Amino acid sequence: MPDPAARDAAEEASAFSHPAVAPDATAAYGDHPDQVVDFYAPRDGRTRAPLVVALHGGAWRAPYDRQHLTPFVDFLARRGFAVANVEYRRGSGLPHQGGTAPVAGRWPETFDDVAAALDAVTDLAAAHLPQADPRRTVLTGHSAGGHLALWAAARHVLPADSRWRLPAPPELRGVVALAPIAHFGRAVELGVCGGAVTELLGGEAEYAARAASADPAVLLPTGIATTLVQGREDVVVPYAVADAYAEAAAKAGEEVGLTLLEGIGHFPLIDPAADACAVVAEEIAQLAW
C-alpha cells in the first residue's frame, strides 16, 4: 500500500507542474481586482459549444487563485468546450492570531462574488466568448470550488431573506462537482483543510446561523442534475464528505450521481496528465451535449 501522504504529495506535484495557460479574453464582473472571469474558446474551432463555468479550489484561501486551474480549463477547451474560469475574493493571506494557515474565505464577499459572477457570466460570454452556448451551461468546481458550484446551483433554495436567493432555478444543464466540500457537518467532523469550513463562515460563533445559507447539504433538493466525482484515496477532502452529501440528497428526494474513482486522490481530477481528468470531461459532456 502506498503511503497516503506520499501519494497525495506526488499527485499534487503533478497537477501543479503544468504551466498556467493564458485566456483568450478576460472580463470584469465588479470593481475589485478579483472580480474577473477568464474565457477560453474551444480549441477545435467550432463556432458554438457548451459553456463550462469553472470555480477553482484552495480552501477559499488567498494563496490559491484561478491560475492553478488553467491547465484543467485548457484541457476542457481542447475537448471542444467554451470555458469561463471565475475568480472570486478569498480569505486574507495572513492567518488568524495563533493560526498557521491563511484565513479561509471572506464572509459575505466570497459568496457575493460567486453569485455576481454567475449572474453576469451569460452576458459577459456573449461579449467575450461568442462561441459559448449559454443554453448548454454546466457548472463545475474542484474542492472548495466544488462547494461553490453546488451552492451556486442551489441559490433558489436559499432562505427567503437571503441576499443571494434567486426566484427560480438557474438555467444550468447540470453541475459536476469534483471532490467538493459538499457537506459542512461531515467536513467539520473530519477537520477538512484545517478547519477551513468554520473559518469560511466567520468562526464558531457564526457557524450555525450562516451554515443555513452556505452548506449545500441543507440546500436540497435543487432539481438540477448533479454529479460528484471523487477519488476514493482522497486525503484532502475524503470521499465520506461526498457520500454524506449524496445521502442528504437522497433523504430530500433527489438522486445525485457519485462517480468514485479507485486508487485516485484529490488532485488528479484537475490534472490533464491523469486519466481521472478525462473521466471528469466525460461527465461534463454527458450533461452538456
Side-chain angles (χ1 to χ4, degrees), residues 118-161:
L118 269 293
D119 289 346
V121 74
T122 296
D123 289 341
L124 293 177
H128 299 277
L129 188 62
Q131 300 95 326
D133 182 356
R135 298 169 301 177
R136 293 183 287 164
T137 298
V138 175
L139 191 53
T140 192
H142 177 242
S143 195
H147 155 260
L148 293 172
L150 293 170
W151 176 84
R155 288 170 58 203
H156 58 295
V157 191
L158 286 168
D161 61 350

mmCIF file of all heavy atoms in Angstrom, residues 118-161:
data_model
loop_
_atom_site.group_PDB
_atom_site.id
_atom_site.type_symbol
_atom_site.label_atom_id
_atom_site.label_comp_id
_atom_site.label_asym_id
_atom_site.label_seq_id
_atom_site.Cartn_x
_atom_site.Cartn_y
_atom_site.Cartn_z
ATOM 1 N N LEU A 118 -21.894 34.462 -11.502
ATOM 2 C CA LEU A 118 -22.842 33.593 -12.198
ATOM 3 C C LEU A 118 -23.986 34.389 -12.810
ATOM 4 O O LEU A 118 -24.487 34.041 -13.887
ATOM 5 C CB LEU A 118 -23.364 32.525 -11.244
ATOM 6 C CG LEU A 118 -22.589 31.199 -11.197
ATOM 7 C CD1 LEU A 118 -22.731 30.460 -12.511
ATOM 8 C CD2 LEU A 118 -21.108 31.417 -10.889
ATOM 9 N N ASP A 119 -24.386 35.466 -12.151
ATOM 10 C CA ASP A 119 -25.441 36.316 -12.711
ATOM 11 C C ASP A 119 -24.966 37.037 -13.970
ATOM 12 O O ASP A 119 -25.768 37.327 -14.861
ATOM 13 C CB ASP A 119 -25.905 37.342 -11.681
ATOM 14 C CG ASP A 119 -26.707 36.723 -10.551
ATOM 15 O OD1 ASP A 119 -27.140 35.560 -10.693
ATOM 16 O OD2 ASP A 119 -26.891 37.400 -9.516
ATOM 17 N N ALA A 120 -23.667 37.326 -14.040
ATOM 18 C CA ALA A 120 -23.140 38.120 -15.153
ATOM 19 C C ALA A 120 -22.570 37.289 -16.289
ATOM 20 O O ALA A 120 -22.363 37.811 -17.391
ATOM 21 C CB ALA A 120 -22.041 39.059 -14.625
ATOM 22 N N VAL A 121 -22.298 36.014 -16.060
ATOM 23 C CA VAL A 121 -21.473 35.260 -16.997
ATOM 24 C C VAL A 121 -22.108 35.109 -18.373
ATOM 25 O O VAL A 121 -21.394 35.115 -19.394
ATOM 26 C CB VAL A 121 -21.081 33.890 -16.398
ATOM 27 C CG1 VAL A 121 -22.258 32.910 -16.393
ATOM 28 C CG2 VAL A 121 -19.895 33.292 -17.142
ATOM 29 N N THR A 122 -23.415 34.999 -18.448
ATOM 30 C CA THR A 122 -24.050 34.843 -19.759
ATOM 31 C C THR A 122 -23.810 36.071 -20.625
ATOM 32 O O THR A 122 -23.424 35.963 -21.802
ATOM 33 C CB THR A 122 -25.560 34.584 -19.604
ATOM 34 O OG1 THR A 122 -25.749 33.339 -18.934
ATOM 35 C CG2 THR A 122 -26.240 34.526 -20.969
ATOM 36 N N ASP A 123 -24.029 37.261 -20.068
ATOM 37 C CA ASP A 123 -23.806 38.487 -20.837
ATOM 38 C C ASP A 123 -22.328 38.687 -21.148
ATOM 39 O O ASP A 123 -21.973 39.127 -22.251
ATOM 40 C CB ASP A 123 -24.349 39.698 -20.078
ATOM 41 C CG ASP A 123 -25.873 39.723 -20.036
ATOM 42 O OD1 ASP A 123 -26.508 39.034 -20.867
ATOM 43 O OD2 ASP A 123 -26.420 40.421 -19.167
ATOM 44 N N LEU A 124 -21.462 38.358 -20.199
ATOM 45 C CA LEU A 124 -20.023 38.509 -20.437
ATOM 46 C C LEU A 124 -19.557 37.557 -21.527
ATOM 47 O O LEU A 124 -18.743 37.926 -22.381
ATOM 48 C CB LEU A 124 -19.238 38.266 -19.147
ATOM 49 C CG LEU A 124 -19.424 39.302 -18.034
ATOM 50 C CD1 LEU A 124 -18.631 38.888 -16.802
ATOM 51 C CD2 LEU A 124 -18.978 40.684 -18.497
ATOM 52 N N ALA A 125 -20.069 36.339 -21.501
ATOM 53 C CA ALA A 125 -19.691 35.375 -22.537
ATOM 54 C C ALA A 125 -20.175 35.827 -23.907
ATOM 55 O O ALA A 125 -19.467 35.663 -24.909
ATOM 56 C CB ALA A 125 -20.245 33.996 -22.207
ATOM 57 N N ALA A 126 -21.369 36.407 -23.968
ATOM 58 C CA ALA A 126 -21.884 36.889 -25.252
ATOM 59 C C ALA A 126 -20.955 37.934 -25.851
ATOM 60 O O ALA A 126 -20.771 38.003 -27.079
ATOM 61 C CB ALA A 126 -23.291 37.456 -25.074
ATOM 62 N N ALA A 127 -20.342 38.746 -24.992
ATOM 63 C CA ALA A 127 -19.453 39.804 -25.469
ATOM 64 C C ALA A 127 -18.035 39.326 -25.731
ATOM 65 O O ALA A 127 -17.361 39.837 -26.633
ATOM 66 C CB ALA A 127 -19.434 40.949 -24.451
ATOM 67 N N HIS A 128 -17.558 38.364 -24.949
ATOM 68 C CA HIS A 128 -16.141 38.000 -24.992
ATOM 69 C C HIS A 128 -15.876 36.574 -25.475
ATOM 70 O O HIS A 128 -14.720 36.244 -25.776
ATOM 71 C CB HIS A 128 -15.523 38.184 -23.600
ATOM 72 C CG HIS A 128 -15.593 39.583 -23.097
ATOM 73 N ND1 HIS A 128 -14.672 40.544 -23.449
ATOM 74 C CD2 HIS A 128 -16.498 40.200 -22.286
ATOM 75 C CE1 HIS A 128 -14.987 41.688 -22.865
ATOM 76 N NE2 HIS A 128 -16.080 41.512 -22.154
ATOM 77 N N LEU A 129 -16.907 35.744 -25.546
ATOM 78 C CA LEU A 129 -16.733 34.351 -25.973
ATOM 79 C C LEU A 129 -17.951 33.952 -26.798
ATOM 80 O O LEU A 129 -18.798 33.181 -26.359
ATOM 81 C CB LEU A 129 -16.572 33.440 -24.751
ATOM 82 C CG LEU A 129 -16.188 31.975 -25.008
ATOM 83 C CD1 LEU A 129 -14.837 31.870 -25.693
ATOM 84 C CD2 LEU A 129 -16.189 31.196 -23.699
ATOM 85 N N PRO A 130 -18.075 34.486 -28.004
ATOM 86 C CA PRO A 130 -19.289 34.259 -28.800
ATOM 87 C C PRO A 130 -19.516 32.799 -29.168
ATOM 88 O O PRO A 130 -20.631 32.428 -29.544
ATOM 89 C CB PRO A 130 -19.061 35.117 -30.042
ATOM 90 C CG PRO A 130 -17.575 35.336 -30.107
ATOM 91 C CD PRO A 130 -17.114 35.373 -28.689
ATOM 92 N N GLN A 131 -18.486 31.956 -29.030
ATOM 93 C CA GLN A 131 -18.672 30.533 -29.323
ATOM 94 C C GLN A 131 -19.494 29.827 -28.247
ATOM 95 O O GLN A 131 -19.969 28.713 -28.448
ATOM 96 C CB GLN A 131 -17.311 29.834 -29.443
ATOM 97 C CG GLN A 131 -16.420 30.380 -30.538
ATOM 98 C CD GLN A 131 -15.444 31.419 -30.001
ATOM 99 O OE1 GLN A 131 -15.767 32.176 -29.079
ATOM 100 N NE2 GLN A 131 -14.238 31.457 -30.574
ATOM 101 N N ALA A 132 -19.662 30.455 -27.092
ATOM 102 C CA ALA A 132 -20.352 29.810 -25.978
ATOM 103 C C ALA A 132 -21.857 29.799 -26.185
ATOM 104 O O ALA A 132 -22.455 30.805 -26.558
ATOM 105 C CB ALA A 132 -20.018 30.532 -24.672
ATOM 106 N N ASP A 133 -22.446 28.649 -25.916
ATOM 107 C CA ASP A 133 -23.899 28.494 -25.972
ATOM 108 C C ASP A 133 -24.426 28.463 -24.534
ATOM 109 O O ASP A 133 -24.331 27.437 -23.858
ATOM 110 C CB ASP A 133 -24.274 27.209 -26.699
ATOM 111 C CG ASP A 133 -25.777 27.021 -26.830
ATOM 112 O OD1 ASP A 133 -26.530 27.860 -26.292
ATOM 113 O OD2 ASP A 133 -26.198 26.041 -27.465
ATOM 114 N N PRO A 134 -24.983 29.583 -24.037
ATOM 115 C CA PRO A 134 -25.425 29.629 -22.638
ATOM 116 C C PRO A 134 -26.595 28.713 -22.344
ATOM 117 O O PRO A 134 -26.885 28.425 -21.181
ATOM 118 C CB PRO A 134 -25.799 31.101 -22.443
ATOM 119 C CG PRO A 134 -26.143 31.590 -23.804
ATOM 120 C CD PRO A 134 -25.222 30.853 -24.734
ATOM 121 N N ARG A 135 -27.278 28.220 -23.390
ATOM 122 C CA ARG A 135 -28.373 27.276 -23.168
ATOM 123 C C ARG A 135 -27.848 25.905 -22.762
ATOM 124 O O ARG A 135 -28.627 25.054 -22.316
ATOM 125 C CB ARG A 135 -29.212 27.156 -24.435
ATOM 126 C CG ARG A 135 -29.888 28.450 -24.873
ATOM 127 C CD ARG A 135 -30.455 28.313 -26.259
ATOM 128 N NE ARG A 135 -29.395 27.985 -27.228
ATOM 129 C CZ ARG A 135 -29.614 27.743 -28.520
ATOM 130 N NH1 ARG A 135 -30.848 27.766 -28.994
ATOM 131 N NH2 ARG A 135 -28.607 27.463 -29.329
ATOM 132 N N ARG A 136 -26.559 25.692 -22.910
ATOM 133 C CA ARG A 136 -25.923 24.424 -22.528
ATOM 134 C C ARG A 136 -24.788 24.718 -21.551
ATOM 135 O O ARG A 136 -23.615 24.479 -21.828
ATOM 136 C CB ARG A 136 -25.400 23.699 -23.763
ATOM 137 C CG ARG A 136 -26.486 23.204 -24.703
ATOM 138 C CD ARG A 136 -25.896 22.434 -25.868
ATOM 139 N NE ARG A 136 -25.225 23.327 -26.817
ATOM 140 C CZ ARG A 136 -24.358 22.918 -27.753
ATOM 141 N NH1 ARG A 136 -24.039 21.646 -27.853
ATOM 142 N NH2 ARG A 136 -23.830 23.788 -28.583
ATOM 143 N N THR A 137 -25.148 25.274 -20.400
ATOM 144 C CA THR A 137 -24.154 25.641 -19.394
ATOM 145 C C THR A 137 -24.055 24.565 -18.328
ATOM 146 O O THR A 137 -25.067 24.125 -17.775
ATOM 147 C CB THR A 137 -24.509 26.986 -18.730
ATOM 148 O OG1 THR A 137 -24.508 28.020 -19.715
ATOM 149 C CG2 THR A 137 -23.502 27.333 -17.636
ATOM 150 N N VAL A 138 -22.827 24.153 -18.053
ATOM 151 C CA VAL A 138 -22.535 23.220 -16.966
ATOM 152 C C VAL A 138 -21.608 23.909 -15.991
ATOM 153 O O VAL A 138 -20.632 24.560 -16.381
ATOM 154 C CB VAL A 138 -21.891 21.923 -17.492
ATOM 155 C CG1 VAL A 138 -21.488 21.009 -16.336
ATOM 156 C CG2 VAL A 138 -22.854 21.188 -18.415
ATOM 157 N N LEU A 139 -21.900 23.780 -14.727
ATOM 158 C CA LEU A 139 -21.098 24.376 -13.669
ATOM 159 C C LEU A 139 -20.207 23.312 -13.061
ATOM 160 O O LEU A 139 -20.670 22.202 -12.746
ATOM 161 C CB LEU A 139 -22.040 24.962 -12.620
ATOM 162 C CG LEU A 139 -21.503 25.865 -11.521
ATOM 163 C CD1 LEU A 139 -20.690 27.019 -12.085
ATOM 164 C CD2 LEU A 139 -22.667 26.384 -10.691
ATOM 165 N N THR A 140 -18.919 23.622 -12.926
ATOM 166 C CA THR A 140 -18.008 22.673 -12.301
ATOM 167 C C THR A 140 -17.105 23.422 -11.331
ATOM 168 O O THR A 140 -16.972 24.650 -11.388
ATOM 169 C CB THR A 140 -17.172 21.910 -13.348
ATOM 170 O OG1 THR A 140 -16.498 20.811 -12.715
ATOM 171 C CG2 THR A 140 -16.125 22.798 -14.000
ATOM 172 N N GLY A 141 -16.496 22.683 -10.435
ATOM 173 C CA GLY A 141 -15.564 23.271 -9.474
ATOM 174 C C GLY A 141 -14.856 22.168 -8.724
ATOM 175 O O GLY A 141 -15.373 21.050 -8.597
ATOM 176 N N HIS A 142 -13.669 22.487 -8.229
ATOM 177 C CA HIS A 142 -12.835 21.492 -7.554
ATOM 178 C C HIS A 142 -12.656 21.867 -6.095
ATOM 179 O O HIS A 142 -12.326 23.018 -5.775
ATOM 180 C CB HIS A 142 -11.461 21.417 -8.238
ATOM 181 C CG HIS A 142 -10.508 20.468 -7.585
ATOM 182 N ND1 HIS A 142 -9.307 20.859 -7.033
ATOM 183 C CD2 HIS A 142 -10.566 19.111 -7.401
ATOM 184 C CE1 HIS A 142 -8.681 19.815 -6.548
ATOM 185 N NE2 HIS A 142 -9.419 18.740 -6.758
ATOM 186 N N SER A 143 -12.904 20.922 -5.189
ATOM 187 C CA SER A 143 -12.648 21.097 -3.769
ATOM 188 C C SER A 143 -13.522 22.225 -3.206
ATOM 189 O O SER A 143 -14.744 22.131 -3.241
ATOM 190 C CB SER A 143 -11.148 21.342 -3.555
ATOM 191 O OG SER A 143 -10.792 21.177 -2.213
ATOM 192 N N ALA A 144 -12.923 23.315 -2.708
ATOM 193 C CA ALA A 144 -13.736 24.454 -2.269
ATOM 194 C C ALA A 144 -14.532 25.031 -3.430
ATOM 195 O O ALA A 144 -15.649 25.527 -3.239
ATOM 196 C CB ALA A 144 -12.839 25.525 -1.656
ATOM 197 N N GLY A 145 -13.981 24.964 -4.632
ATOM 198 C CA GLY A 145 -14.730 25.394 -5.806
ATOM 199 C C GLY A 145 -15.895 24.477 -6.108
ATOM 200 O O GLY A 145 -16.917 24.906 -6.659
ATOM 201 N N GLY A 146 -15.763 23.200 -5.742
ATOM 202 C CA GLY A 146 -16.885 22.281 -5.881
ATOM 203 C C GLY A 146 -18.014 22.658 -4.938
ATOM 204 O O GLY A 146 -19.195 22.577 -5.294
ATOM 205 N N HIS A 147 -17.650 23.073 -3.728
ATOM 206 C CA HIS A 147 -18.667 23.590 -2.803
ATOM 207 C C HIS A 147 -19.381 24.783 -3.414
ATOM 208 O O HIS A 147 -20.623 24.860 -3.407
ATOM 209 C CB HIS A 147 -18.031 24.014 -1.476
ATOM 210 C CG HIS A 147 -18.824 25.057 -0.756
ATOM 211 N ND1 HIS A 147 -18.479 26.396 -0.798
ATOM 212 C CD2 HIS A 147 -19.968 24.966 -0.035
ATOM 213 C CE1 HIS A 147 -19.381 27.086 -0.121
ATOM 214 N NE2 HIS A 147 -20.288 26.244 0.367
ATOM 215 N N LEU A 148 -18.613 25.718 -3.965
ATOM 216 C CA LEU A 148 -19.224 26.923 -4.516
ATOM 217 C C LEU A 148 -20.099 26.615 -5.724
ATOM 218 O O LEU A 148 -21.121 27.275 -5.938
ATOM 219 C CB LEU A 148 -18.129 27.929 -4.881
ATOM 220 C CG LEU A 148 -17.356 28.509 -3.681
ATOM 221 C CD1 LEU A 148 -16.163 29.330 -4.164
ATOM 222 C CD2 LEU A 148 -18.269 29.348 -2.793
ATOM 223 N N ALA A 149 -19.717 25.613 -6.507
ATOM 224 C CA ALA A 149 -20.547 25.219 -7.645
ATOM 225 C C ALA A 149 -21.884 24.657 -7.171
ATOM 226 O O ALA A 149 -22.951 25.009 -7.702
ATOM 227 C CB ALA A 149 -19.812 24.194 -8.503
ATOM 228 N N LEU A 150 -21.849 23.783 -6.182
ATOM 229 C CA LEU A 150 -23.089 23.229 -5.643
ATOM 230 C C LEU A 150 -23.946 24.331 -5.024
ATOM 231 O O LEU A 150 -25.173 24.360 -5.183
ATOM 232 C CB LEU A 150 -22.778 22.156 -4.594
ATOM 233 C CG LEU A 150 -22.113 20.883 -5.117
ATOM 234 C CD1 LEU A 150 -21.637 20.033 -3.943
ATOM 235 C CD2 LEU A 150 -23.061 20.090 -6.004
ATOM 236 N N TRP A 151 -23.301 25.246 -4.316
ATOM 237 C CA TRP A 151 -24.029 26.352 -3.689
ATOM 238 C C TRP A 151 -24.673 27.253 -4.740
ATOM 239 O O TRP A 151 -25.850 27.625 -4.617
ATOM 240 C CB TRP A 151 -23.077 27.158 -2.807
ATOM 241 C CG TRP A 151 -23.713 28.369 -2.198
ATOM 242 C CD1 TRP A 151 -24.465 28.397 -1.045
ATOM 243 C CD2 TRP A 151 -23.694 29.702 -2.705
ATOM 244 N NE1 TRP A 151 -24.911 29.681 -0.820
ATOM 245 C CE2 TRP A 151 -24.447 30.504 -1.808
ATOM 246 C CE3 TRP A 151 -23.101 30.305 -3.812
ATOM 247 C CZ2 TRP A 151 -24.627 31.880 -2.007
ATOM 248 C CZ3 TRP A 151 -23.278 31.670 -4.017
ATOM 249 C CH2 TRP A 151 -24.033 32.440 -3.126
ATOM 250 N N ALA A 152 -23.931 27.591 -5.783
ATOM 251 C CA ALA A 152 -24.459 28.482 -6.820
ATOM 252 C C ALA A 152 -25.660 27.879 -7.524
ATOM 253 O O ALA A 152 -26.571 28.597 -7.943
ATOM 254 C CB ALA A 152 -23.362 28.819 -7.824
ATOM 255 N N ALA A 153 -25.673 26.562 -7.652
ATOM 256 C CA ALA A 153 -26.797 25.876 -8.304
ATOM 257 C C ALA A 153 -28.002 25.756 -7.390
ATOM 258 O O ALA A 153 -29.080 25.357 -7.844
ATOM 259 C CB ALA A 153 -26.355 24.493 -8.764
ATOM 260 N N ALA A 154 -27.831 26.096 -6.121
ATOM 261 C CA ALA A 154 -28.916 25.940 -5.141
ATOM 262 C C ALA A 154 -29.415 27.280 -4.617
ATOM 263 O O ALA A 154 -30.126 27.318 -3.607
ATOM 264 C CB ALA A 154 -28.423 25.083 -3.974
ATOM 265 N N ARG A 155 -29.114 28.363 -5.297
ATOM 266 C CA ARG A 155 -29.488 29.672 -4.764
ATOM 267 C C ARG A 155 -31.005 29.872 -4.686
ATOM 268 O O ARG A 155 -31.485 30.656 -3.855
ATOM 269 C CB ARG A 155 -28.842 30.782 -5.598
ATOM 270 C CG ARG A 155 -27.342 30.892 -5.371
ATOM 271 C CD ARG A 155 -26.685 31.827 -6.373
ATOM 272 N NE ARG A 155 -27.265 33.160 -6.304
ATOM 273 C CZ ARG A 155 -27.222 34.039 -7.311
ATOM 274 N NH1 ARG A 155 -26.641 33.689 -8.464
ATOM 275 N NH2 ARG A 155 -27.751 35.232 -7.179
ATOM 276 N N HIS A 156 -31.746 29.175 -5.517
ATOM 277 C CA HIS A 156 -33.206 29.272 -5.449
ATOM 278 C C HIS A 156 -33.787 28.536 -4.242
ATOM 279 O O HIS A 156 -34.987 28.657 -3.958
ATOM 280 C CB HIS A 156 -33.833 28.717 -6.732
ATOM 281 C CG HIS A 156 -33.468 27.298 -7.014
ATOM 282 N ND1 HIS A 156 -32.179 26.893 -7.293
ATOM 283 C CD2 HIS A 156 -34.233 26.161 -7.044
ATOM 284 C CE1 HIS A 156 -32.159 25.588 -7.493
ATOM 285 N NE2 HIS A 156 -33.387 25.129 -7.347
ATOM 286 N N VAL A 157 -32.945 27.774 -3.533
ATOM 287 C CA VAL A 157 -33.367 27.041 -2.348
ATOM 288 C C VAL A 157 -32.941 27.766 -1.069
ATOM 289 O O VAL A 157 -33.269 27.341 0.037
ATOM 290 C CB VAL A 157 -32.805 25.605 -2.375
ATOM 291 C CG1 VAL A 157 -33.430 24.731 -1.296
ATOM 292 C CG2 VAL A 157 -33.018 24.949 -3.731
ATOM 293 N N LEU A 158 -32.209 28.854 -1.216
ATOM 294 C CA LEU A 158 -31.744 29.611 -0.054
ATOM 295 C C LEU A 158 -32.921 30.148 0.754
ATOM 296 O O LEU A 158 -34.030 30.321 0.236
ATOM 297 C CB LEU A 158 -30.873 30.781 -0.511
ATOM 298 C CG LEU A 158 -29.467 30.435 -1.004
ATOM 299 C CD1 LEU A 158 -28.831 31.631 -1.704
ATOM 300 C CD2 LEU A 158 -28.587 29.976 0.154
ATOM 301 N N PRO A 159 -32.688 30.437 2.040
ATOM 302 C CA PRO A 159 -33.752 31.048 2.846
ATOM 303 C C PRO A 159 -34.309 32.303 2.180
ATOM 304 O O PRO A 159 -33.601 33.014 1.464
ATOM 305 C CB PRO A 159 -33.034 31.383 4.160
ATOM 306 C CG PRO A 159 -31.913 30.386 4.244
ATOM 307 C CD PRO A 159 -31.456 30.170 2.825
ATOM 308 N N ALA A 160 -35.585 32.570 2.425
ATOM 309 C CA ALA A 160 -36.281 33.647 1.722
ATOM 310 C C ALA A 160 -35.628 35.009 1.929
ATOM 311 O O ALA A 160 -35.717 35.881 1.052
ATOM 312 C CB ALA A 160 -37.742 33.684 2.174
ATOM 313 N N ASP A 161 -34.980 35.208 3.065
ATOM 314 C CA ASP A 161 -34.372 36.511 3.336
ATOM 315 C C ASP A 161 -32.914 36.601 2.888
ATOM 316 O O ASP A 161 -32.243 37.598 3.143
ATOM 317 C CB ASP A 161 -34.470 36.849 4.821
ATOM 318 C CG ASP A 161 -33.745 35.828 5.707
ATOM 319 O OD1 ASP A 161 -33.326 34.767 5.191
ATOM 320 O OD2 ASP A 161 -33.609 36.085 6.918
#
